[in-house]
Amino acid sequence: MEKLIFSISLLLLLLDGCYGGKVGVCYGRSADDLPTPAKVVQLIKQHNIKYVRIYDYNSQVLKAFANTSIELMIGVPNSDLKPFSQFQSNADTWLKNSVLPYYPTTKITYITVGAESTDDPHTNASSFVVPAMQNVLTALKKVGLSRRIKVSTTLSLGVLSRSFPPSAGAFNSSYAYFLRPMLEFLAENQSPFMVDLYPYYAYRDSPNNVSLDYVLFESSSEVIDPNTGLLYKNMFDAQVDALYYALTALNFRTIKIMVTETGWPTKGSPKEKGAASPDNAETYNSNIIRHTVTNQGTPSKPGEAMDVYIFSLFNENRKTGLDSERNWGLFYPDQTSVYQLDFTGKNGGFRSNSSGGNSRGRSESWCIASSKASEIELRGALDWACGPGNVDCTAIQPSQPCFQPDTLVSHASFVFNSYFQQNGGTDVACSFGGVGVKVNKDPSYDKCVYITAGGNNTKATNASALNSSASTSRGNESLVWNLSLCLVILLLFSLQTTNSQAL
């Protein structure tokens, strides 16, 4: 029996790593024109959304999600933190009257106690968070639900005093009174560190210093962390890793990060017009979904699954502030889509325009080295592409299909094109300091095949020498590895169970 119990415990522990990243949606209701909760649930089911975050515990909403199998994250608003922290009986009564009547018919899996409490300048909300979390957890323990419903709180990136380079990530010391006990609570109860991340704001507030492509997951270049040598192709990963390094600096290495809000607005005030648009929103959200479901992880934690919630289901016309605050919605109040989004991530993260092509403009073009470039320029660009640029340069090595002719221009042309195609086929991706040239004629020759958009080749002799985008490749490999690991675990568990029963 002891062996059987051990086997089950081991299975549950290991299976936690067998599931891919989950994509959810935030269902905010600060609006006076939204459809009824029942209609909202039908919309969510129609679009195959399986994870939803709400910001309170509205009874009509909880009822609407009954018998749907949609996993729900509910919230204790900041206004409830003080009474929840003062008396255990308040948390007990709340759980009894506002949660248990709907559970487990409504599948509640997380409770967020407070939301971005450190950003509230008018109250001392953050001082109440940890005691309130503890009382909510105690209430759950009393009814035997502390393992089924996880308790945490959501924070903004403002809890960091430094976020760049990622390896220098550090928490703001002014929040130490709150953060350390909160992190101890999360580590002890295996709850996630919940954070709301918005690369949009970094670009909006500093467009001259931050590349739009970098925040949209479309960058053809990389930002190097000088302390670790890790390469970052998007700001989201850099922000997540900054949090992981900050956690590590305080010796909290086992806490996992969950992104409880991220997204992009479709409309903004005059100062936001260069950033807030349906096109950018579609690009960002499509790419973050693909990034999540393929388990790409981050440069410091490649292949590690992380759950992400897109903000938000609807535009919320009662919110104050700039126009963007009211225009983050994926759907209009009439339940039509603001833009098309595939929550499965199976479309590779790229959206299609009305003509059926990719809206980022990938076309049948190639990138080659300029015959007018100097040897020093070509050598420098070639070395960079085969190194930090992550291009697989096997095909230009001796005895490989693209080694001949053994000239710098020929080798650089093949490598330039590989980088160009793997990084969006944009003008920037064919720059190489001015020594790259875009052409419309296929440079392929003999058995040396220059890949086209998407990295597709027709000749097997060269296909083995090339990689697709490095980040996508890592994500796919980790997904295959995870699935293989799960199969092995299940097999071992089955054998162990059989042996235990025989004993």
Side-chain angles (χ1 to χ4, degrees):
M1 179 59 70
E2 290 180 357
K3 290 183 177 181
L4 179 59
I5 293 174
F6 174 78
S7 299
I8 294 174
S9 301
L10 180 62
L11 176 70
L12 293 175
L13 177 65
L14 294 178
L15 281 181
D16 183 56
C18 294
Y19 297 98
K22 302 172 182 176
V23 176
V25 175
C26 301
Y27 173 19
R29 304 193 320 280
S30 296
D32 54 24
D33 57 356
L34 300 184
T36 64
K39 290 183 178 179
V40 170
V41 170
Q42 291 303 313
L43 176 69
I44 289 170
K45 292 170 64 177
Q46 176 187 341
H47 288 271
N48 201 34
I49 299 169
K50 300 185 181 300
Y51 310 94
V52 174
R53 176 190 176 189
I54 63 173
Y55 294 82
D56 55 18
Y57 43 89
N58 180 277
S59 60
Q60 295 302 313
V61 175
L62 295 182
K63 287 179 182 177
F65 280 93
N67 301 305
T68 62
S69 77
I70 295 170
E71 294 189 15
L72 200 61
M73 179 187 298
I74 68 173
V76 175
N78 289 352
S79 58
D80 290 345
L81 291 176
K82 187 174 182 179
F84 274 47
S85 69
Q86 290 178 324
F87 300 103
Q88 179 64 53
S89 59
N90 289 336
D92 293 343
T93 301
W94 168 77
L95 187 68
K96 177 182 178 181
N97 297 336
S98 300
V99 179
L100 294 183
Y102 312 102
Y103 183 90
T105 308
T106 295
K107 194 174 182 181
I108 299 169
T109 54
Y110 290 99
I111 296 175
T112 60
V113 181
E116 299 188 0
S117 58
T118 57
D119 293 353
D120 191 338
H122 305 298
T123 68
N124 194 26
S126 59
S127 64
F128 304 122
V129 170
V130 176
M133 289 169 65
Q134 189 62 60
N135 285 346
V136 169
L137 178 64
T138 298
L140 288 169
K141 286 181 177 179
K142 289 180 178 180
V143 294
L145 293 178
S146 59
R147 295 184 180 275
R148 297 185 181 183
I149 301 177
K150 291 293 183 179
V151 177
S152 188
T153 187
T154 65
L155 299 169
S156 73
L157 197 64
V159 296
L160 294 184
S161 60
R162 293 193 307 272
S163 61
F164 186 83
S167 59
F171 288 112
N172 191 324
S173 59
S174 64
Y175 299 133
Y177 70 94
F178 155 71
L179 283 171
R180 182 165 286 279
M182 184 209 70
L183 294 174
E184 290 172 349
F185 176 96
L186 299 181
E188 181 180 350
N189 296 287
Q190 298 181 328
S191 292
F193 183 99
M194 295 181 169
V195 64
D196 301 339
L197 294 184
Y198 288 99
Y200 163 77
Y201 289 120
Y203 174 74
R204 184 198 69 180
D205 297 338
S206 189
N208 294 326
N209 298 320
V210 179
S211 162
L212 178 61
D213 281 348
Y214 183 63
V215 295
L216 291 177
F217 291 79
E218 298 275 291
S219 179
S220 58
S221 58
E222 295 166 314
V223 175
I224 301 176
D225 186 321
N227 299 324
T228 62
L230 295 176
L231 304 175
Y232 290 84
K233 299 191 70 173
N234 64 80
M235 179 172 284
F236 180 87
D237 281 352
Q239 291 180 339
V240 171
D241 272 356
L243 286 164
Y244 271 123
Y245 280 111
L247 289 170
T248 299
L250 294 181
N251 204 30
F252 290 98
R253 302 173 184 273
T254 61
I255 297 176
K256 292 189 176 183
I257 291 174
M258 174 186 289
V259 178
T260 42
E261 282 185 20
T262 193
W264 200 279
T266 56
K267 181 181 179 182
S269 300
K271 67 172 291 187
E272 302 175 292
K273 284 186 176 178
S277 71
D279 197 50
N280 287 341
E282 186 175 354
T283 298
Y284 179 83
N285 286 332
S286 294
N287 285 335
I288 192 70
I289 290 172
R290 173 184 54 81
H291 190 71
T292 301
V293 300
T294 56
N295 282 3
Q296 291 185 27
T298 65
S300 77
K301 293 184 177 292
E304 182 161 313
M306 180 173 61
D307 298 346
V308 173
Y309 285 73
I310 306 295
F311 185 87
S312 179
L313 201 60
F314 298 103
N315 291 333
E316 298 177 81
N317 62 12
R318 292 174 56 190
K319 285 196 168 184
T320 59
L322 297 176
D323 287 350
S324 63
E325 291 300 312
R326 295 175 288 281
N327 291 280
W328 293 80
L330 305 177
F331 300 96
Y332 293 112
D334 66 0
Q335 302 173 64
T336 58
S337 298
V338 178
Y339 49 86
Q340 297 302 313
L341 202 61
D342 175 18
F343 290 94
T344 68
K346 293 180 180 179
N347 64 359
F350 298 107
R351 63 199 189 282
S352 297
N353 57 24
S354 58
S355 63
N358 182 280
S359 63
R360 282 263 155 187
R362 285 194 179 187
S363 60
E364 283 296 296
S365 58
W366 295 262
C367 178
I368 62 173
S370 171
S371 59
K372 299 179 181 180
S374 68
E375 182 176 340
I376 294 177
E377 290 174 320
L378 287 178
R379 175 59 62 189
L382 182 61
D383 289 344
W384 179 88
C386 293
N390 284 325
V391 174
D392 184 345
C393 296
T394 305
I396 61 171
Q397 302 305 312
S399 77
Q400 296 300 315
C402 299
F403 177 70
Q404 296 293 345
D406 183 13
T407 66
L408 192 56
V409 171
S410 178
H411 291 177
S413 292
F414 178 83
V415 171
F416 285 8
N417 182 70
S418 297
Y419 181 88
F420 170 72
Q421 304 293 356
Q422 293 169 10
N423 290 275
T426 64
D427 291 341
V428 174
C430 188
S431 173
F432 295 99
V435 298
V437 179
K438 286 179 66 175
V439 296
N440 296 321
K441 183 179 179 181
D442 187 352
S444 301
Y445 59 92
D446 297 332
K447 295 182 179 180
C448 182
V449 180
Y450 280 55
I451 62 172
T452 55
N456 294 321
N457 295 317
T458 57
K459 297 186 180 180
T461 53
N462 199 28
S464 62
L466 299 174
N467 286 333
S468 60
S469 171
S471 60
T472 302
S473 175
R474 286 194 297 269
N476 290 338
E477 288 171 2
S478 69
L479 183 59
V480 172
W481 165 251
N482 285 342
L483 291 174
S484 300
L485 176 62
C486 291
L487 290 174
V488 172
I489 292 170
L490 290 172
L491 178 60
L492 290 175
F493 173 71
S494 177
L495 292 173
Q496 181 65 52
T497 302
T498 302
N499 293 336
S500 298
Q501 291 173 341
L503 294 173

